[in-house]
Amino acid sequence: MEKIDIKSLTLEELTQHIVGLGEPKFRAKQIYEWLHQKHAFSFSEMTNISAKFQQRLESVFYIDSLKMIKKLVSQIDNTVKYLYELRDGEFVECVLMEYRHGTSICISSQVGCKMGCTFCASTIAGFVRNLTPSEMLDQIYCSALDSGRKISSVVMMGIGEPLDNYDNVLRFLELVSDENGMNLSLRHLSLSTCGLVERICDLAEKRLGLTLSVSLHAPNDTVRSKTMPVSRRYSMNELLKACRFYAEETHRRISFEYALIRGVNDSKRDAEELASRLRGMLCHVNLIPVNPVEEAGYQAAAREDVFRFQNLLLSMGINTTVRRTLGADIHAACGQLRRNSQNVKR
Ligand code: SAH
């Protein structure tokens, strides 16, 4: 029989398994704490479990863990980027960032990505597979252990489209916020999506309290279709309708990501059209100077053009921030490290 990935089980599911193995319920909570609070790598570390039952556990479950392959520390701002190897030899990356309010981690949700955004390094080599809940958690656990930093917020903005791995992501959200585990308030978690409309609505109905970031990158379908193939599946009208629904259901402000690409989406007209479409919505716009990816051939908008775009939006009543660039010296943008490791392998 195939062994079960124990770290991907919710406490309720683990309890069912443990009771099924003839042990009392509280045993499940002990094991859960070993996995999610004390970060045990093996059953033999679980000192309040008998050696006999440890062996039984070993025969039914496995404890997944990531192997650190590379760690880059920015000399500029202490950003740390990790490349981890998964059980099957695939790679994922995540980034630790220091902010005034604490340490934030940006995690991946898939190996590769199907979405095909033309400016994004994560999607160039295509999609390999979804990450399991434990692989998402372990990016947090392993990075916290290695760095000795306490992680106070999580952003799902690394490799992959989280809403394309919906079931595992929901389970991850349950695990990461469990009071017997990491106990992260979902108020301190942001999930970024390129805009899978049905899933945004499903998530809205769950009212989990997390922040939804939507990668918009354009003021209309024509501009959006140049860089984001997903715009052929969902029009911007449909997407913005789902975003309004999300904001109304959850009372949470949507964060629209907008990477400024010179000559593609950075004109005055683009700003005006964007403002007119977003007016009245509980939202804000986060401008990002696009991170040039070799294969795409795009140029980042100049710093002053980013601020010009910001000021235009602000003058039209749209709350707009410019994302700080962190880890510029270590290729901290998503997908770049895994991409580089693939180039090295070839
Ligand atoms: N699939 C999700 C999350 C992963 S990407 C999504 O699309 O939102 C995280 C964010 O980085 C997205 O806003 C994405 O559009 C943006 N991004 C990707 N490549 C980028 C680049 N080269 N420069 C700037 N932002 C980029």
Side-chain angles (χ1 to χ4, degrees):
M1 208 176 66
E2 213 177 306
K3 289 191 187 183
I4 299 166
D5 169 14
I6 193 168
K7 228 188 281 179
S8 287
L9 298 177
T10 63
L11 179 55
E12 203 183 317
E13 291 166 338
L14 182 61
T15 306
Q16 279 171 11
H17 280 287
I18 298 302
V19 170
L21 293 172
E23 286 286 311
K25 246 173 132 179
F26 73 86
R27 193 74 73 219
K29 198 160 162 237
Q30 289 176 325
I31 298 168
Y32 193 88
E33 284 173 1
W34 276 109
L35 296 170
H36 298 280
Q37 289 184 345
K38 298 177 211 156
H39 308 303
F41 291 106
S42 68
F43 294 109
S44 58
E45 288 170 55
M46 302 182 179
T47 46
N48 53 2
I49 311 276
S50 71
K52 195 159 161 250
F53 194 56
Q54 285 175 5
Q55 276 168 16
R56 190 74 211 280
L57 290 170
E58 187 82 55
S59 67
V60 179
F61 304 103
Y62 67 92
I63 302 178
D64 204 2
S65 65
L66 307 180
K67 187 170 154 204
M68 194 204 300
I69 296 295
K70 210 180 228 177
K71 173 185 179 181
L72 300 174
V73 183
S74 166
Q75 300 305 308
I76 306 172
D77 50 36
N78 242 352
T79 297
V80 189
K81 180 146 195 172
Y82 291 101
L83 182 71
Y84 290 113
E85 187 174 347
L86 309 172
R87 279 170 82 80
D88 57 359
E90 294 295 340
F91 296 102
V92 281
E93 59 191 64
C94 67
V95 186
L96 279 182
M97 294 161 291
E98 296 296 323
Y99 292 99
R100 237 174 305 138
H101 56 263
T103 301
S104 178
I105 187 166
C106 175
I107 64 165
S108 298
S109 57
Q110 296 180 316
V111 180
C113 184
K114 296 176 203 162
M115 298 299 136
C117 301
T118 56
F119 46 78
C120 182
S122 302
T123 197
I124 293 168
F127 172 76
V128 180
R129 68 169 174 88
N130 284 326
L131 291 186
T132 61
S134 64
E135 287 167 336
M136 290 183 253
L137 280 171
D138 257 346
Q139 294 172 60
I140 307 177
Y141 297 168
C142 295
S143 307
L145 274 179
D146 175 76
S147 66
R149 302 184 197 176
K150 184 173 164 20
I151 292 175
S152 51
S153 61
V154 174
V155 290
M156 305 191 78
M157 267 199 194
I159 298 173
E161 167 49 49
L163 296 188
D164 184 46
N165 183 13
Y166 189 73
D167 292 341
N168 284 350
V169 164
L170 276 192
R171 189 183 277 262
F172 160 76
L173 294 174
E174 184 174 342
L175 290 163
V176 80
S177 58
D178 191 311
E179 60 180 9
N180 299 294
M182 186 174 163
N183 196 17
L184 179 86
S185 158
L186 291 185
R187 298 215 148 246
H188 297 139
L189 184 139
S190 297
L191 182 150
S192 183
T193 176
C194 63
L196 304 187
V197 164
E198 295 93 349
R199 292 312 197 189
I200 292 177
C201 296
D202 292 343
L203 200 60
E205 282 166 0
K206 297 210 173 296
R207 300 208 185 107
L208 294 176
L210 52 87
T211 299
L212 188 68
S213 288
V214 176
S215 300
L216 205 54
H217 304 316
N220 57 44
D221 289 320
T222 312
V223 176
R224 202 160 191 257
S225 66
K226 287 186 196 157
T227 55
M228 300 184 74
V230 70
S231 74
R232 290 196 280 273
R233 237 158 99 191
Y234 308 102
S235 70
M236 229 162 104
N237 275 342
E238 287 172 287
L239 175 57
L240 293 180
K241 193 168 154 210
C243 293
R244 280 198 187 87
F245 177 67
Y246 189 91
E248 279 158 18
E249 284 289 303
T250 62
H251 307 289
R252 302 283 291 162
R253 186 172 77 156
I254 306 262
S255 175
F256 287 111
E257 305 295 311
Y258 197 107
L260 281 164
I261 310 173
R262 188 180 296 183
V264 175
N265 61 1
D266 63 343
S267 72
K268 183 165 181 255
R269 255 188 58 199
D270 293 329
E272 285 166 354
E273 190 172 356
L274 183 65
S276 76
R277 295 189 88 144
L278 300 186
R279 198 160 290 130
M281 199 190 297
L282 183 60
C283 71
H284 98 285
V285 173
N286 193 15
L287 297 176
I288 318 160
V290 79
N291 232 306
V293 171
E294 213 180 288
E295 288 84 344
Y298 292 129
Q299 283 188 347
R303 209 69 198 153
E304 58 270 23
D305 290 335
V306 175
F307 290 117
R308 180 183 49 80
F309 203 88
Q310 179 190 26
N311 286 331
L312 273 169
L313 289 176
L314 286 171
S315 71
M316 291 178 280
I318 305 296
N319 202 330
T320 310
T321 48
V322 175
R323 185 186 292 169
R324 261 175 68 202
T325 304
L326 289 173
D329 54 336
I330 56 165
H331 294 297
C334 71
Q336 293 186 353
L337 196 57
R338 174 171 172 265
R339 177 92 195 114
N340 291 346
S341 82
Q342 286 172 322
N343 289 341
V344 170
K345 269 201 303 188
R346 263 188 228 126

